[in-house]
Amino acid sequence: MSIVLEARQVSKSFGGFFAVKGVDLKVREGSIHALIGPNGAGKTTMFGLLTRFHSTTSGSIFLKGEDITGKGPADVALRGLCRSFQISSIFPGLTLRENVRVALQRRHGSSHQFWQPSRVLRRFDDEADQLLHRVGLTPLADRLCSEVSYGRKRALEIATTLAMEPKVLLLDEPIAGMAAGDIPMIVELIRSVAKDRTVVMVEHNLSVVESLCDRVTVLVRGEVMAEGSYSEIRDNAAVRQAYIGAGYEV
Amino acid sequence: MNNKWKTLLGAALLSTALPMAAVAQGGPLKILVLDDMSGIFAANGGPGTLLAVQMAVEDAGGKVLGRPIEIIQADHQNKPDVGSAQAQRYIQEQGVRAITLGGSSAVGLAAQARAAEAKVFTLASGAYAPNFSEAQCSPYGFQFAPSTQELSRAVTSRIVGEGKKTWYLIAADYVFGHTLIADASKSIQAAGGKVIGQTLHPLNSNDMASALLTAQGSGADVIGLANAGTDLETTVKQAGQFGVGGKLAAMMVYENNIEALTLAASKGMRMSVSTYWDLNDKTRTLAKRMMAKNGGKTPTMGHMGAYGAVTHYLEAVKAVGSDDPDKVAAKMRELPITTGIWENPRIQANGRVTYDMLLVEVKTPAESKGPNDLYKIVAKIPAEGLFRTAKESGCPHVK
Amino acid sequence: MVSASLSLPLQRRRNLNIILLLAGLALLAVAPLFLYPVFLMKLLCFGLFASALNLVLGYGGMVAFGHATFFGGAAYVTAHALKEWGFGAGSGLLIGVAFALVTGFLMGIIAIRRQGFYFAMTTLALSQMAYFAFFQAPFTHAEDGIQRVPRPDFLGLVSLADNMSLYYFVVAVFLIGMAVIWRVIHSPFGASLTAIRENEQRALSLGYHTNRYKLTVFVISAALSGLAGSLKVLVFPIATLTDVAWQMSGEVILMTLLGGVGTFLGPVIGAALVLTIQNYMASTAVPVTIFIGLAFIICVMLFRKGIVGEIIAVLPSSWLNGSERQKAGHQ
Amino acid sequence: MTMIFGVPLVALASQLVIGLFNGAFYALLSLGLGVIFGLLRVVNFTHGAFYTVGAFAAFLLTSYAGFSFWACLLIAPLIVAALAAVLERTLLRKLYGLDALYGLLLTFGIALLIEGLLQFYFGVAGQPYQVPDILSGTSNLGFMFLPHYRAFAIATSLLLCLLTWLIIEYTSLGAKLRAATENSRLLEVFGVNVPLLLTCTYAFGGALAGFAGVVAAPVFQVSPLMGANLIIVVFAVVIIGGLGSITGAIVSGLMLGTLEALAKVYWPPSANLVPFLIMAVVLFLRPRGLFGKGE
């Protein structure tokens, strides 16, 4: 399997403090890859670096062999590297369908026309509805986003990200803060979207990681402590030590 | 919430009740006093000019041709757009027939342009750019104030004559300062002197230090001040602090500036004026009446000029028997000016009022006999040869 | 999936818009019979200016504190073109707009590098720089301003000499300006802009180069502000420093805020209110800044939605579209 | 005569002293602005008005109550501080939860109101204020006459800047201030009265501006608009230095004053543009300002 996303010796410091230090990461095409580690390990920062929301202090990042270190977040999104955020990230004043449409109009290159009437956007409605159907939100398509539950916002977020048809999907704690009953729905959703693309996720819930992920990278204090399959990681003494030290059950 | 709405509704209703243009024929004859009422020239003109106009109307019996005379005042804040809009509005909405102009010349010129379109009289009693009666003259415009040419000429030629040949000029950056620089340079050169540099500053500046130091650095014999109002006061004050006070020559100083700077600080300064309160019996009588009403402040040539201008306008209206603009304008040029404020006054075809100018010198505190005793008259400069003639003025209305 | 016939609320909404439009047109047509036309024209100029600012302030979510540069700058350029180069009314307006467009692009490029109040302060500082540049440039004649600007014909056909014909010309330009704003708001670009305003991070992650959209809306807004400024020169034949001073930038923010940020008609209504009160204050000795200052304080403390925003808040929610419903709720 | 790029050294030196004088005001004002911004996250537009109020307070105290300049130097800043505290308690406080831009607009409105009221009572023209007798002389420095008062103004302003910097960097109060800037919730946990701290900070920033106003009164005319035009240059200073950076405020204030003076010597029309041109360049090269850290 080829490497789709790669970080080489990536570091990020904030005023002398290294949030991420010399991290190497290789994500194989088609895999579900988890980034785990205690709080403050630099996982979300790493996401920010990969998707170019943060600039790197040193090191480089490659997407499908192309050096994207100097690119901006919008550029990499258009190249098929899309992320979600730790806290649900939606457009609260728009309806669910409009939310998805925002992504569609960008992908179809119809986002800058200020001379056309907005009804031209209706041509994306069918595709938007299909995406909403896929995440089980069809009945709520016309509701305002700010009016629906947290779990549905997260599902909507995935639908919106999918609208970009990403090659690599970066999910930052997709089930965090979710009611227990909603979790299986999202897990199934991730499994199904991962069929034809690569997924990288930050996740604290290790049973979810175990059931979903092919590979796991453990970050501790900004550095890679271990990498391997879930079972390899589970048996790694240093990882257990780090996790117990941080109060986690493995 | 309810109250908020009521207020807004009230405001909205009010806005629909704006007055329409209502020019009542045969109603009161309206005169607008358009001046700087609170700014840097307010003490030169402003409220004092309003008082002078009120007195002129009072002395005319408050009426002309059986119509009451109404005075409206507006503060143009020295902003040309404000003054221009006010002139337009009061002409179109209130039917104003004559406007006295004071404060920034830029504003006066903007207002005169609007007034000329509507055949409304403009009496420039406190505006000193020559343009009022030259390039931008109006058939209904009359400039009673001296212009920068007359103001600068007497002072500069005398100082150059004393052997101080090189000049550095500090001027306010608007039409008055520009024309004053141009006129002063001309008369300095004519007298054999030379202008070696100049600095322009915005209206109402509070720090002249840099300009003064540049002037000092230039090595000029004289630092000529082509600004007015509080700008002038600031320059004189700070010049004293930087030790260049002895080099100053001001071209546009009013009594109120001297009062603010004190005699001690300005003694010996020379400038020319169109009139002075202590000139003759008529000026003394008028000035004493003004002082009685304004708390003892010395009236300036702007204040007395406004009185003289409005009086002359009203006499012309009376003589014509109507306020027909063309007839009144002709009559104003024809009638002799009788107020006695100026010596040998005459009105040229371009609307320029000419008279003998006075060269005055600020008294020392010892020479001064009272709070209003500020100047001694050094010389009288005959009008002939001092003012540009109507032909020379370049006023397009003069054939 | 989209049904051919509109849903009932949407239909009602559309009817409301049409009624409002017709009522507005009728009002504009007869207004000069009751009100001083010069005042009405001033109102239309400032209404357009405030609406242009609203594109950035309300729809772009950026507090721009330097729009006087475009308004007053275009006024200077138009005045100069009419007076010194003998341009006609139409070409005079166009050159003013072109100037504002270019200046808007330059200011935008620098300012959008920072967000929030940094953006506000940067635009303010840059516009102050422009102020001094205008002050120094010989063609603006410093404190004097450009005076006695002629009022030429439009395309050599329509005379604008008398106030009534000028009034209808100003109405026409105003309507064109407002139509452009309407189109920009209700376009794919407008939808992108809404998304960026609501959640810029998310928009970035969906491939939006958000700065480019902000720059575009900033430039459009600058150009329309320029149109308003140029139009004002036809009404008041003078261009001065007042129109490029930072107080003007503040005043137009007040108009927008008072009428309702992010509402289509709010800025026009805000402008009308501010100008009316100014008109009354002009004949009193009370400085207008006292009123402007008080209005700001009251508006920020009590009326953050503005007049039209408050009206929307009391309308039945079925009349409103998504973002209006959002606005009607608590901000 | 020694010449530097065609300008006599003497003239250059004297202009630089004037530049330093102006720079001292920039530093004092941008310092207060920076402290307020750091803690309250409010871009305080009222700052220019505080400066004006300080000058007017001195003018009124001296003209009508016979206070000396030295007494005014102490009392006027306290008056401004009291005014600031009242404004913070009654108005500004209510906006803390909202978009920070409302704070900017509110303070803008307050500034206009204060300016308008002063204009109403005193007119636009400046009111004179005498230099205290003891400082009224001038010294001949060889290259220029330096009015003692200007020297005094530079010295006091710099001293006050230094003092503020020391307090913030080296005292426990300063440590609290810096902590509150990072995380105000944390401080509440430690038992610090955060609302009070905010009021005091706003009042202190106001007092600094008021002090600058008193110092300015004898040199410039005391006029309602004196602060309005200054504040925008100070904004540029703050952007150049980096918002929230104390050092940045002081250094860039002085730097800008002197650069402005240089501009006056070499190309006078550009002098007013210089602060803003520098700001534009800095924004391009270092968007967070010369001394700014991450937001």
Side-chain angles (χ1 to χ4, degrees):
Chain A
M1 271 191 288
S2 62
I3 304 300
V4 64
L5 179 64
E6 184 181 358
R8 282 185 207 154
Q9 283 298 309
V10 165
S11 298
K12 174 71 181 174
S13 75
F14 293 102
F17 165 75
F18 277 87
V20 169
K21 196 172 179 184
V23 169
D24 282 315
L25 183 70
K26 285 184 175 153
V27 178
R28 293 179 196 162
E29 187 155 12
S31 66
I32 302 183
H33 194 125
L35 276 181
I36 65 169
N39 275 336
K43 307 180 297 282
T44 297
T45 307
M46 194 61 208
F47 257 38
L49 291 169
L50 290 172
T51 49
R52 314 304 311 133
F53 272 78
H54 300 314
S55 57
T56 49
T57 307
S58 64
S60 358
I61 296 163
F62 296 85
L63 178 66
K64 288 180 287 179
E66 183 195 4
D67 188 345
I68 57 166
T69 320
K71 298 275 187 287
D75 296 317
V76 300
L78 291 174
R79 282 173 169 74
L81 177 65
C82 287
R83 71 174 293 186
S84 73
F85 292 82
Q86 206 166 52
I87 297 161
S88 92
S89 188
I90 40 98
F91 304 111
L94 304 184
T95 64
L96 270 56
R97 182 185 290 123
E98 283 167 342
N99 258 270
V100 180
R101 228 162 56 178
V102 169
L104 288 173
Q105 79 175 83
R106 179 66 190 129
R107 179 163 63 82
H108 291 294
S110 188
S111 60
H112 224 295
Q113 281 93 327
F114 54 80
W115 54 90
Q116 283 180 332
S118 41
R119 61 173 174 274
V120 301
L121 293 176
R122 289 203 202 122
R123 66 171 184 262
F124 302 129
D125 281 358
D126 286 350
E127 198 179 343
D129 287 342
Q130 280 165 19
L131 284 160
L132 287 174
H133 177 74
R134 194 162 169 198
V135 297
L137 291 174
T138 304
L140 301 172
D142 286 314
R143 292 285 290 279
L144 266 189
C145 211
S146 50
E147 294 165 358
V148 303
S149 75
Y150 185 76
R152 289 181 162 141
K153 281 181 190 156
R154 304 248 44 171
L156 171 66
E157 208 186 336
I158 291 175
T160 310
T161 314
L162 285 178
M164 293 301 289
E165 297 194 334
K167 308 271 182 323
V168 185
L169 192 57
L170 274 67
L171 302 173
D172 197 354
E173 302 198 23
I175 61 166
M178 198 168 278
D182 286 338
I183 292 178
M185 188 258 292
I186 297 290
V187 169
E188 271 323 296
L189 186 58
I190 295 173
R191 203 190 301 282
S192 80
V193 298
K195 278 189 187 122
D196 36 14
R197 56 180 56 81
T198 313
V199 173
V200 184
M201 57 196 281
V202 166
E203 191 47 68
H204 278 304
N205 187 324
L206 293 181
S207 63
V208 169
V209 172
E210 181 175 17
S211 72
L212 272 176
C213 300
D214 310 314
R215 279 196 81 76
V216 179
T217 300
V218 185
L219 283 180
V220 175
R221 280 180 229 101
E223 293 180 78
V224 176
M225 174 170 272
E227 194 182 320
S229 69
Y230 182 75
S231 52
E232 286 163 19
I233 294 299
R234 189 183 52 199
D235 299 334
N236 183 317
V239 173
R240 293 180 79 93
Q241 184 58 37
Y243 261 68
I244 290 162
Y248 283 88
E249 283 280 330
V250 178
Chain B
M1 182 70 121
N2 252 338
N3 275 338
K4 276 201 277 190
W5 281 108
K6 274 180 198 156
T7 336
L8 288 177
L9 198 65
L13 283 176
L14 265 177
S15 70
T16 61
L18 276 169
M20 265 301 286
V23 185
Q25 286 302 322
L29 181 84
K30 294 182 183 175
I31 299 175
L32 173 66
V33 176
L34 186 60
D35 217 307
D36 171 11
M37 293 292 175
S38 60
I40 73 168
F41 301 129
N44 309 347
T49 297
L50 180 64
L51 175 69
V53 173
Q54 279 162 350
M55 285 171 56
V57 169
E58 231 169 74
D59 292 353
K63 276 186 189 175
V64 64
L65 310 176
R67 291 164 64 184
I69 304 167
E70 190 183 323
I71 301 167
I72 303 171
Q73 59 153 318
D75 182 3
H76 59 50
Q77 304 159 35
N78 294 320
K79 291 181 184 160
D81 54 324
V82 174
S84 160
Q86 278 167 338
Q88 186 180 18
R89 183 173 159 218
Y90 284 111
I91 290 168
Q92 294 184 352
E93 282 185 29
Q94 301 276 338
V96 157
R97 306 301 290 154
I99 306 176
T100 71
L101 299 174
S104 158
S105 288
V107 182
L109 288 168
Q112 177 157 300
R114 308 322 302 271
E117 292 163 10
K119 296 193 170 192
V120 167
F121 283 86
T122 38
L123 312 170
S125 57
Y128 300 83
N131 314 36
F132 286 92
S133 53
E134 301 194 344
Q136 297 180 47
C137 69
S138 149
Y140 314 98
F142 294 85
Q143 189 171 19
F144 289 79
S147 82
T148 50
Q149 193 223 181
E150 295 84 57
L151 289 170
S152 58
R153 215 155 172 196
V155 178
T156 51
S157 56
R158 199 163 269 259
I159 293 175
V160 175
E162 289 166 9
K164 295 175 182 163
K165 301 242 182 249
T166 53
W167 288 62
Y168 191 96
L169 299 174
I170 296 176
D173 195 359
Y174 71 111
V175 63
F176 164 77
H178 299 162
T179 52
L180 195 45
I181 276 201
D183 286 327
S185 307
K186 233 182 275 168
S187 52
I188 289 168
Q189 273 155 21
K194 199 179 158 204
V195 177
I196 58 172
Q198 63 183 52
T199 299
L200 296 171
H201 67 77
L203 205 58
N204 206 3
S205 290
N206 59 14
D207 194 7
M208 303 291 181
S210 170
L212 285 166
L213 287 173
T214 311
Q216 187 189 26
S218 74
D221 298 331
V222 187
I223 301 174
L225 304 185
N227 51 14
T230 50
D231 282 343
L232 175 86
E233 290 169 22
T234 310
T235 323
V236 174
K237 222 168 89 174
Q238 297 189 348
Q241 292 167 5
F242 283 100
V244 293
K247 287 189 164 188
L248 294 187
M251 280 162 265
M252 177 81 212
V253 191
Y254 288 97
E255 286 82 344
N256 62 283
N257 301 133
I258 302 297
E259 283 171 337
L261 289 167
T262 71
L263 286 181
S266 48
K267 60 177 183 245
M269 219 186 241
R270 280 176 177 184
M271 54 263 173
S272 45
V273 291
S274 64
T275 182
Y276 177 53
W277 75 271
D278 205 8
L279 177 65
N280 58 39
D281 285 341
K282 282 194 172 169
T283 54
R284 273 188 285 274
T285 320
L286 177 65
K288 294 225 164 98
R289 283 172 59 207
M290 284 186 181
M291 290 183 212
K293 291 188 186 185
N294 72 5
K297 278 179 262 178
T298 318
T300 66
M301 61 171 150
H303 298 146
M304 291 195 289
Y307 177 89
V310 170
T311 304
H312 189 65
Y313 167 70
L314 291 175
E315 278 173 3
V317 171
K318 208 193 257 169
V320 169
S322 83
D323 65 351
D324 179 283
D326 294 304
K327 287 181 190 154
V328 173
K331 188 57 91 183
M332 276 182 80
R333 289 184 173 85
E334 180 189 318
L335 280 181
I337 296 175
T338 56
T339 45
I341 290 170
W342 300 286
E343 301 204 329
N344 303 321
R346 227 169 246 117
I347 300 186
Q348 297 179 169
N350 57 337
R352 150 58 58 202
V353 182
T354 67
Y355 31 71
D356 298 349
M357 294 274 292
L358 314 172
L359 182 68
V360 297
E361 185 179 305
V362 179
K363 290 187 173 175
T364 63
E367 289 169 326
S368 171
K369 290 191 212 72
N372 303 107
D373 187 18
L374 304 173
Y375 299 159
K376 56 184 169 213
I377 297 169
V378 180
K380 292 186 182 173
I381 308 156
E384 195 90 10
L386 179 62
F387 289 89
R388 278 188 277 263
T389 63
K391 276 222 176 77
E392 289 163 350
S393 73
C395 166
H397 300 295
V398 177
K399 277 123 210 163
Chain C
M1 290 281 251
V2 182
S3 48
S5 68
L6 293 164
S7 60
L8 194 61
L10 245 132
Q11 185 64 49
R12 216 179 278 157
R13 164 79 194 187
R14 177 156 287 192
N15 289 346
L16 179 74
N17 281 351
I18 291 170
I19 291 167
L20 275 175
L21 178 67
L22 292 176
L25 286 176
L27 199 67
L28 284 174
V30 301
L33 302 178
F34 304 101
L35 293 166
Y36 181 39
V38 175
F39 177 76
L40 283 172
M41 291 188 273
K42 185 177 180 189
L43 196 157
L44 290 173
C45 292
F46 278 93
L48 180 58
F49 183 24
S51 300
L53 173 76
N54 191 30
L55 269 180
V56 169
L57 197 64
Y59 296 98
M62 307 180 275
V63 175
F65 226 117
H67 265 45
T69 298
F70 314 129
F71 182 75
Y76 271 134
V77 170
T78 300
H80 188 74
L82 296 183
K83 191 178 174 187
E84 306 293 338
W85 300 336
F87 275 39
S91 47
L93 288 183
L94 281 183
I95 192 170
V97 171
F99 171 83
L101 198 126
V102 173
T103 339
F105 180 75
L106 294 176
M107 188 190 281
I109 284 196
I110 297 173
I112 53 167
R113 295 171 71 85
R114 306 305 310 270
Q115 293 175 3
F117 27 65
Y118 295 91
F119 176 83
M121 288 166 73
T122 309
T123 47
L124 176 64
L126 288 174
S127 84
Q128 188 70 357
M129 175 165 103
Y131 174 89
F132 286 118
F134 283 121
F135 186 84
Q136 297 292 352
F139 86 99
T140 63
H141 303 285
E143 305 277 354
D144 300 341
I146 305 179
Q147 299 191 3
R148 299 173 173 228
V149 179
R151 201 189 266 178
D153 296 350
F154 177 57
L155 298 178
L157 299 169
V158 188
S159 163
L160 305 176
D162 78 296
N163 277 344
M164 285 313 260
S165 56
L166 181 67
Y167 172 77
Y168 289 106
F169 177 76
V170 171
V171 167
V173 176
F174 169 80
L175 289 175
I176 292 169
M178 294 303 281
V180 170
I181 292 171
W182 178 267
R183 170 49 64 240
V184 170
I185 300 168
H186 299 96
S187 71
F189 175 76
S192 307
L193 215 51
T194 311
I196 292 168
R197 189 186 67 227
E198 296 242 321
N199 191 338
E200 183 163 354
Q201 293 291 303
R202 184 56 174 154
L204 266 173
S205 76
L206 294 176
Y208 283 83
H209 294 92
T210 51
N211 279 354
R212 290 184 201 165
Y213 295 82
K214 288 178 174 177
L215 184 60
T216 305
V217 75
F218 193 82
V219 170
I220 295 174
S221 164
L224 288 166
S225 303
L227 180 64
S230 297
L231 198 57
K232 186 170 165 267
V233 170
L234 290 179
V235 181
F236 298 95
I238 185 167
T240 63
L241 288 170
T242 310
D243 291 342
V244 285
W246 61 272
Q247 286 88 346
M248 178 61 75
S249 301
E251 226 164 86
V252 72
I253 291 180
L254 176 67
M255 290 172 182
T256 312
L257 197 65
L258 208 56
V261 170
T263 60
F264 183 71
L265 282 179
V268 180
I269 290 167
L273 195 63
V274 170
L275 291 177
T276 304
I277 297 173
Q278 275 183 353
N279 211 27
Y280 280 101
M281 304 270 292
S283 43
T284 69
V286 183
V288 176
T289 38
I290 293 187
F291 149 70
I292 304 266
L294 270 178
F296 254 112
I297 296 170
I298 293 169
C299 206
V300 170
M301 298 307 295
L302 302 170
F303 267 121
R304 277 185 286 273
K305 285 179 209 143
I307 296 166
V308 173
E310 299 278 358
I311 292 174
I312 287 174
V314 296
L315 288 180
S317 71
S318 61
W319 285 21
L320 309 176
N321 62 32
S323 62
E324 281 171 348
R325 248 179 284 162
Q326 174 83 3
K327 225 168 248 129
H330 292 286
Q331 279 181 322
Chain D
M1 222 179 331
T2 318
M3 305 284 269
I4 295 176
F5 298 122
V7 173
L9 181 64
V10 175
L12 190 64
S14 55
Q15 295 286 8
L16 283 178
V17 174
I18 299 301
L20 203 60
F21 173 76
N22 289 331
F25 285 103
Y26 294 156
L28 214 48
L29 284 171
S30 63
L31 180 63
L33 209 59
V35 171
I36 290 174
F37 179 80
L39 210 53
L40 281 72
R41 298 273 132 186
V42 169
V43 175
N44 186 31
F45 234 118
T46 315
H47 220 66
F50 286 159
Y51 167 81
T52 314
V53 171
F56 266 97
F59 166 71
L60 293 173
L61 285 171
T62 306
S63 323
Y64 296 102
F67 281 89
S68 72
F69 170 78
W70 307 104
C72 292
L73 212 49
L74 194 69
I75 301 172
L78 290 178
I79 293 175
V80 178
L83 172 71
V86 170
L87 290 174
E88 198 275 343
R89 289 257 150 171
T90 53
L91 297 173
L92 204 52
R93 165 152 306 184
K94 304 207 165 76
L95 299 177
Y96 285 158
L98 298 164
D99 193 323
L101 291 161
Y102 286 114
L104 182 137
L105 295 176
L106 174 74
T107 53
F108 178 69
I110 297 173
L112 288 183
L113 180 63
I114 293 176
E115 205 175 276
L117 287 172
L118 290 173
Q119 203 174 319
F120 181 62
Y121 288 108
F122 301 99
V124 181
Q127 310 287 333
Y129 190 89
Q130 295 305 319
V131 174
D133 284 339
I134 191 170
L135 294 173
S136 63
T138 45
S139 289
N140 190 344
L141 300 184
F143 62 89
M144 74 179 294
F145 283 94
L146 178 65
H148 290 160
Y149 185 79
R150 292 210 181 215
F152 161 80
I154 297 174
T156 347
S157 305
L158 291 185
L159 198 69
L160 197 59
C161 285
L162 189 70
L163 213 64
T164 310
W165 183 74
L166 288 175
I167 290 175
I168 290 175
E169 291 295 320
Y170 293 106
T171 65
S172 71
L173 177 72
K176 277 178 195 162
L177 280 171
R178 275 179 287 136
T181 316
E182 299 283 316
N183 189 346
S184 62
R185 215 171 286 158
L186 207 64
L187 273 177
E188 243 155 8
V189 176
F190 291 144
V192 176
N193 185 342
V194 174
L196 182 68
L197 191 68
L198 294 181
T199 311
C200 290
T201 307
Y202 195 65
F204 175 70
L208 280 180
F211 183 86
V214 183
V215 175
V219 175
F220 308 131
Q221 304 265 353
V222 179
S223 100
L225 299 175
M226 62 193 289
N229 298 321
L230 193 58
I231 186 71
I232 302 181
V233 183
V234 174
F235 277 174
V237 171
V238 165
I239 293 176
I240 293 169
L243 251 187
S245 161
I246 305 288
T247 327
I250 300 171
V251 172
S252 57
L254 294 173
M255 183 188 77
L256 225 58
T258 40
L259 285 176
E260 229 178 355
L262 282 179
K264 275 182 186 156
V265 175
Y266 288 103
W267 192 37
S270 73
N272 288 320
L273 296 174
V274 159
F276 306 109
L277 280 174
I278 295 175
M279 182 198 76
V281 172
V282 167
L283 269 177
F284 242 101
L285 302 178
R286 283 183 68 96
R288 290 180 204 297
L290 295 179
F291 295 83
K293 299 181 196 112
E295 276 146 46

